[in-house]
Amino acid sequence: MRSKFFFLVTAAFFCCFNFYGQSKTENGAQDNLTGESDDIRSENAGANEIRQPFAWTSAGDVLKYQVIIDRINSDGSAEQVFFHETDEEETEACKIYIEPVLPPGHYRSQIRVFNILGIEEEDLLDTDFFDIRKAYMPEIKNVTYPLYMRSTIYLDDLDNDGIIKIEGHNLFDLPVTYDELIYTEYFLKNDKRRISPVEIIDRGKNDKNLTFRFDMKKLPVGEYYFIAQDASGLHSEENSDSHFSIKFKKWMDFDVEGGYVCPVVLHDDTFPSYIGKVLPFSVQGKVSFMPLKNNWGYLGFGIRASYSRLYKDCGDYTIDGNLATGHFIVIYQLPMFRHRVVAELHGGAGLSYFNDICFHFAHNVDSEPLNTVSISLDAGASLQFYLNKRLYTEIAADYVFTMNSDMILGMILPSAGVGWQF
């Protein structure tokens, strides 16, 4: 035998009160039930007539039922607040009306069953627990990102702080525990996800405005509605007033960077023997396109190149030439610290060009110049520090590996440069 407790609300005219009831689940979970109308916050409360029906499943041919309702106090004790013995009509319908109505609180119900001989069937005693909660219809009239007073937050703004403000009515505190009778939950919602704020950082007066802080790392791009939902399940509408957008100001970043690089040879003795292990007369540049942007990072591609002027004076002869590298790279970037620092990983394949490398002896005797192109690989990491929204400095380190028929060249390329984001 299952009991149900719910409200029937008859309104003399349309007003702002809504009532919500949810019967107890089959596994005995606690009811979520709406209580009396908000006669404190609304002038229209008296226009509503509230009835509290109590219904249960029939136990068969019985003489009568006794319905006992106890209120559960904060210290865990129970206090009887309602007792009723059913008449013939109520016994047949398995439903009564509780008068006077019960105020919000935590309750326990017991239904005693008496057979046709008037003897109580103790094994059919049914006990239930339920809550009565005040129902407040939350309303959201405006959602803004206070920094720029708009209903959109751009994830690539350097000044982003995850602060969102709402204005409306019946905007109460977040629940500390879900045993509370009055509270409101808040979240951004669309068809794919639901995002809750980290905390309320400011409360206005009269429960009409709140300011929240969201975790910027947990704000995916999308179109959302800001929803306020009270303890009874009533929630604000999804309309233009509650609409909020999360997006990037630019769909793609285009970065150009250049600076100094100092290659250091790690493998093969050819360069250290003839040219030297360090190639100090070098520059580098990089162009990046970042079309895929999300809160977990950016994906893109680019071209990275370096040039080194080779020269060594060995007394009896000199060696000079040029070494250039160019690689097509795939790039992953992770903005940090409000986008003021960007960590990057990149790697790809390309070419190394050994150009006009030759020996110069006395009396204008030169060796045959070396000109060859070899396939090479590049893998590296960098940190970009934004001085403003466009200008940044970058420090990086790359490893370039080149193999040809004459040698295997492996170099580490630490670099520092200045870049501009278009």
Side-chain angles (χ1 to χ4, degrees), residues 63 133 353:
L63 179 65
R133 291 171 171 154
Y353 179 35

Coordinates of all heavy atoms in Angstrom, one line a residue, residues 63 133 353:
L63 N -12.8 -2.0 6.9 CA -13.8 -1.3 7.6 C -13.5 0.2 7.6 O -14.4 1.1 7.3 CB -14.0 -1.8 9.0 CG -15.1 -1.0 9.8 CD1 -16.5 -1.3 9.3 CD2 -15.0 -1.5 11.3
R133 N 7.0 22.1 1.2 CA 7.9 23.3 0.9 C 7.1 24.4 0.3 O 6.1 24.2 -0.4 CB 9.0 22.9 0.0 CG 10.0 21.9 0.6 CD 11.0 21.4 -0.5 NE 12.1 20.7 0.1 CZ 12.8 19.7 -0.5 NH1 12.5 19.4 -1.7 NH2 13.8 19.1 0.1
Y353 N 68.1 22.7 -45.0 CA 68.8 23.1 -46.2 C 70.2 23.5 -45.9 O 70.4 24.5 -45.2 CB 68.0 24.2 -46.9 CG 68.7 24.7 -48.2 CD1 69.3 23.8 -49.1 CD2 68.6 26.1 -48.5 CE1 69.9 24.3 -50.2 CE2 69.1 26.5 -49.7 CZ 69.8 25.7 -50.5 OH 70.4 26.1 -51.7

